[in-house]
Amino acid sequence: MFVLVRRVDLADVIGAALVWKASGAGARSIAARLARPVDTVRGWLRRFERRAEHICVYFTVLLVDTGVDPIPPALAPTPFAQAVSAVIGAWRAAVSRWPDIGKVSPWQAASAASGGRLLSPIWP
């Protein structure tokens, strides 16, 4: 799945914004990098931040359940960054078991794992 429900931009574009935010970038600089409206980017970041704890738990469980020799992600400085780390960690764990999953990005895999609802208020 390459898109998220009710989003025009591809999962990879939104995922890039989430990674940059986890690294400390602000909405304006992310919007400029992606050539997207700042309000759109701010909306993605706020929605993910509101759901960060739930996203982190969901993808950490997925990581542990799918990994050949799972290693949970190290603690991150913020819940937002922790959730991003869990998403990427779950993708790595899936790739360790099923190498062909590496043909898609972590954000495409996260979109598929969430049924396209990664930023949905009613998921997980």
Side-chain angles (χ1 to χ4, degrees):
M1 190 172 265
F2 299 98
V3 296
L4 298 174
V5 172
R6 301 185 70 198
R7 306 292 169 198
V8 174
D9 293 289
L10 296 175
D12 287 337
V13 173
I14 295 170
L18 300 174
V19 169
W20 285 328
K21 170 67 175 173
S23 299
R28 289 181 193 274
S29 66
I30 294 168
R33 284 181 187 177
L34 296 173
R36 300 296 191 278
V38 72
D39 288 339
T40 298
V41 172
R42 197 173 282 128
W44 300 337
L45 302 179
R46 286 180 179 161
R47 180 61 59 92
F48 190 84
E49 189 161 29
R50 274 185 251 142
R51 307 295 298 154
E53 184 178 334
H54 298 289
I55 291 167
C56 184
V57 169
Y58 181 86
F59 281 96
T60 299
V61 168
L62 186 62
L63 179 159
V64 170
D65 286 350
T66 60
V68 172
D69 189 15
I71 300 171
L75 288 178
T78 65
F80 190 104
Q82 189 69 37
V84 168
S85 194
V87 169
I88 293 170
W91 173 79
R92 286 186 179 138
V95 169
S96 75
R97 182 165 296 239
W98 304 289
D100 284 346
I101 290 179
K103 294 178 182 177
V104 300
S105 75
W107 300 104
Q108 292 169 6
S111 177
S114 68
R117 290 176 166 77
L118 186 66
L119 298 181
S120 174
I122 59 169
W123 180 90

